[in-house]
Amino acid sequence: MKVSVKKGRIEKIPSEAIFLPHFADNDKLGYSAQLLDKATGGLLTEVIGTGDFKGELHQTYILLTRQAIPAKRILLVGCGRKSNFNLVKLRAVIVKAGQKVRDLGWKSLTIPLSPEIIEGVPLEDLAQVYVEGIYSGLYRFTQFRTTERKRVKELEQLTLVGEDGVNLKRVREGVNRGEIISDSLSLVRDLVSSPSNKITPTMLAETAQRIARENGLRCKVLGLAQIKKLGMGAFLAVAKGSQEPAKFITLEYRPKVKGAKTIALVGKGITFDSGGISLKPSKDMDKMKADMAGGAVVMGVIQAVSQLNLSLHVVAIIPATENLPSGSAYKPGDVISSFSGQTIEVTSTDAEGRLILADAIAYSLKYHPSAIIDVATLTGACIIALGDYVTGILGNDDDLMAQVKKASRVTGEMVWELPLLEEYFEYLKSDIADFKNAGGREAGTIQGAIFLSKFVKNRPWVHLDIAGTAWIDKDKPYHAKGATGIGVRLLVQVLRQLSE
Ligand code: BES
Ligand code: MN
Ligand code: ZN
């Protein structure tokens, strides 16, 4: 798809459709709507007068313009009440438009850049939101369909139209950012949707190498022998049960400027989580192909960060393996020695994510990061606590935590902090090792984070539990069902903030 930015009159531009947002409580038409109304002989006034289209949030209505203007159609999308409207709702409205375009197979779409849609948002941010929203709405996962793929018609041309006086250069910057982030988002959604026989640790590593090649990053992939030699006993324990060779993947982005801060991103890369000997119930076990979502997210983020040329030194670390039961699998009761030197009693082989992350986080310390951010589908308890809309965050540093919350307000990827109190370590006390990996059902998400906190050596650190948000079972206005890519936009924004 090609995205262009133009200055001009919206009613003069040819396309298959013009996207036009409309508020439920606006008696007066907005600026672009007025222009279109006039050019079409009052078409909009007439339709709104019938009451068929009220502008309720996410309501859509297609008007044929019958050659009154060069654009064939006007796609009205309802925005609800103006007083309730915000950037998060705008995103959903645009995703909706993107889905409509996709379903109807339109080849071109024009969007008026109306600064009045939300006051106080810079036009380049608005442009970014439009581009991300349309891409997200267009997205579908067809890699493994032999029939649908041929049928899919793609949007070829998206045109953003600004009024006179608009700063096109800044709008183009927003578009560029939107395209970069959308690319990375689609990559992540593809990876997470792919089943575990297609995305094995080896293939995840190959994807990392491709990203490195295409973006000038350094990529290092450690195999079993090296993992053993380094003494990553926790990662190794999880990997033991699988026939698929485990991979410890590192991607590194170095900016051109000297003296940039180092940020470590660590993502859980369990390509399939059966629970191991502590086997999961078979219902919904297929969803555990998505247990590498954290790893995919950090790969997507470092790709975007490098394309955005941020002034940060970023290291993305993805420990990748399956978690399976077998004759060689680790067992409940086993005591393992982690890379950090601390010993762990395995009370559940299904609490495998924290084990592989423990070694990856400890390994990240060798880069002396000024912040560590880990992303993981870590606990079912997080789904119970926060559902599928809000990501759980925990950490040891108020400033870093505040950055994540601030980024969340910008991107609309919701987060909620849970308390990381040392008192909760009580659950993880072990009779025979330094601590255990799981201590029962209470405060499950906090237990996971407390466990990880034992490996960060007091570095500023935030943990994102995306177990509930990485995958959704039903279509939502802001997202189609399936892999969401949650974490990508949030962390790119965090890193943009940290690079300033
Ligand atoms: N990958 C799961 C968490 C999960 C569950 C993610 C459902 C997405 C949907 C994780 O490895 C796991 O199994 N966690 C256990 C921890 C427990 C044994 C302490 C859990 O949540 O039950
Ligand atoms: Mn598990
Ligand atoms: Zn898991």
Side-chain angles (χ1 to χ4, degrees):
M1 177 169 86
K2 190 170 173 311
V3 185
S4 322
V5 184
K6 270 193 196 149
K7 219 179 266 194
R9 299 281 290 254
I10 185 75
E11 75 278 21
K12 302 230 167 95
I13 294 175
S15 69
E16 286 207 60
I18 296 173
F19 163 81
L20 193 65
H22 184 72
F23 290 104
D25 51 355
N26 256 19
D27 308 330
K28 238 178 83 222
L29 295 172
Y31 177 74
S32 304
Q34 277 178 34
L35 294 176
L36 289 168
D37 197 44
K38 216 157 148 206
T40 56
L43 188 57
L44 292 167
T45 316
E46 190 182 336
V47 164
I48 289 162
T50 61
D52 291 356
F53 176 77
K54 294 198 176 64
E56 281 155 13
L57 192 61
H58 308 139
Q59 190 189 359
T60 56
Y61 201 91
I62 297 164
L63 292 170
L64 291 173
T65 61
R66 309 196 63 202
Q67 273 110 47
I69 54 173
K72 267 194 224 156
R73 310 170 186 85
I74 297 174
L75 169 63
L76 283 161
V77 186
C79 295
R81 300 174 69 84
K82 175 115 187 166
S83 54
N84 287 339
F85 202 62
N86 55 30
L87 212 49
V88 176
K89 291 213 171 97
L90 177 63
R91 282 184 189 282
V93 164
I94 301 165
V95 170
K96 190 90 209 172
Q99 287 170 346
K100 259 284 149 353
V101 170
R102 178 196 69 188
D103 293 346
L104 296 173
W106 294 343
K107 290 229 154 41
S108 56
L109 182 75
T110 306
I111 298 182
L113 269 173
S114 321
E116 78 270 8
I117 190 158
I118 307 175
E119 266 116 57
V121 178
L123 219 49
E124 64 263 37
D125 291 354
L126 220 48
Q128 181 187 342
V129 167
Y130 281 130
V131 172
E132 286 175 11
I134 293 295
Y135 268 111
S136 179
L138 292 174
Y139 176 83
R140 62 180 124 195
F141 184 65
T142 54
Q143 229 161 289
F144 299 112
R145 284 215 208 271
T146 57
T147 48
E148 196 174 329
R149 201 176 339 171
K150 296 189 199 89
R151 274 203 298 115
V152 172
K153 285 190 267 167
E154 292 293 339
L155 180 66
E156 288 164 6
Q157 176 67 49
L158 174 65
T159 310
L160 302 183
V161 181
E163 297 155 20
D164 289 342
V166 59
N167 184 336
L168 286 186
K169 189 164 162 277
R170 281 175 49 193
V171 171
R172 285 207 183 94
E173 271 169 38
V175 167
N176 184 243
R177 227 150 57 205
E179 289 184 301
I180 287 172
I181 292 172
S182 299
D183 272 356
S184 129
L185 206 50
S186 303
L187 165 76
V188 172
R189 291 171 83 175
D190 284 352
L191 287 173
V192 175
S193 299
S194 297
S196 71
N197 64 328
K198 300 291 178 186
I199 295 292
T200 58
T202 303
M203 289 186 250
L204 210 52
E206 280 165 8
T207 306
Q209 276 154 342
R210 178 176 59 76
I211 292 174
R213 214 171 36 243
E214 291 173 356
N215 297 282
L217 307 177
R218 281 180 61 174
C219 182
K220 205 166 59 186
V221 177
L222 305 181
L224 204 63
Q226 290 150 302
I227 298 166
K228 254 187 206 148
K229 209 159 128 204
L230 283 168
M232 294 192 178
F235 180 44
L236 216 61
V238 177
K240 272 199 325 175
S242 166
Q243 302 276 334
E244 281 293 339
K247 303 285 172 192
F248 191 87
I249 306 163
T250 308
L251 278 166
E252 192 175 352
Y253 162 69
R254 283 187 180 281
K256 293 196 185 72
V257 296
K258 288 237 153 53
K261 280 186 283 193
T262 300
I263 311 291
L265 303 174
V266 182
K268 172 175 173 181
I270 295 289
T271 57
F272 187 74
D273 181 13
S274 71
I277 299 292
S278 313
L279 194 64
K280 285 182 181 300
S282 57
K283 185 178 176 299
D284 284 337
M285 204 201 269
D286 56 324
K287 301 278 153 53
M288 284 302 125
K289 69 178 183 181
D291 212 19
M292 35 55 79
V297 166
V298 303
M299 278 169 47
V301 170
I302 200 165
Q303 171 182 299
V305 162
S306 71
Q307 293 177 359
L308 290 168
N309 289 312
L310 295 191
S311 308
L312 284 175
H313 172 217
V314 182
V315 186
I317 301 173
I318 305 110
T321 176
E322 297 181 326
N323 182 26
L324 290 181
S326 77
S328 60
Y330 76 139
K331 303 171 291 299
D334 286 0
V335 173
I336 55 190
S337 297
S338 68
F339 181 71
S340 73
Q342 300 174 100
T343 58
I344 304 157
E345 181 189 1
V346 177
T347 44
S348 170
T349 64
D350 198 11
E352 84 296 342
R354 61 199 71 181
L355 293 173
I356 67 168
L357 290 175
D359 280 355
I361 288 172
Y363 180 84
S364 80
L365 296 174
K366 83 177 184 105
Y367 293 93
H368 307 289
S370 56
I372 304 171
I373 303 174
D374 82 78
V375 195
T377 45
L378 204 70
T379 65
C382 197
I383 312 175
I384 304 300
L386 299 174
D388 65 7
Y389 188 51
V390 179
T391 294
I393 55 172
L394 302 96
N396 60 1
D397 185 88
D398 288 344
D399 288 342
L400 188 58
M401 196 61 102
Q403 292 285 1
V404 175
K405 289 176 187 168
K406 184 175 162 201
S408 158
R409 284 191 294 273
V410 174
T411 63
E413 296 194 358
M414 302 301 171
V415 298
W416 203 262
E417 182 176 359
L418 298 176
L420 187 82
L421 299 173
E422 202 45 44
E423 280 74 8
Y424 287 97
F425 186 55
E426 207 52 41
Y427 288 112
L428 298 180
K429 293 250 160 86
S430 162
D431 290 336
I432 63 166
D434 293 345
F435 42 89
K436 51 192 188 185
N437 73 334
R441 301 178 58 218
E442 292 156 57
T445 304
I446 304 176
Q447 283 191 36
I450 284 281
F451 180 91
L452 296 179
S453 75
K454 297 294 163 197
F455 300 88
V456 300
K457 279 264 173 76
N458 293 322
R459 291 270 161 180
W461 157 73
V462 173
H463 161 64
L464 271 58
D465 193 331
I466 57 167
T469 49
W471 186 276
I472 51 179
D473 291 325
K474 282 200 202 88
D475 280 334
K476 297 276 167 76
Y478 49 91
H479 252 308
K481 68 180 171 193
T484 62
I486 288 282
V488 171
R489 291 192 296 112
L490 180 74
L491 289 185
V492 170
Q493 181 60 27
V494 169
L495 295 179
R496 281 183 65 205
Q497 289 165 197
L498 292 178
S499 74
E500 269 159 19

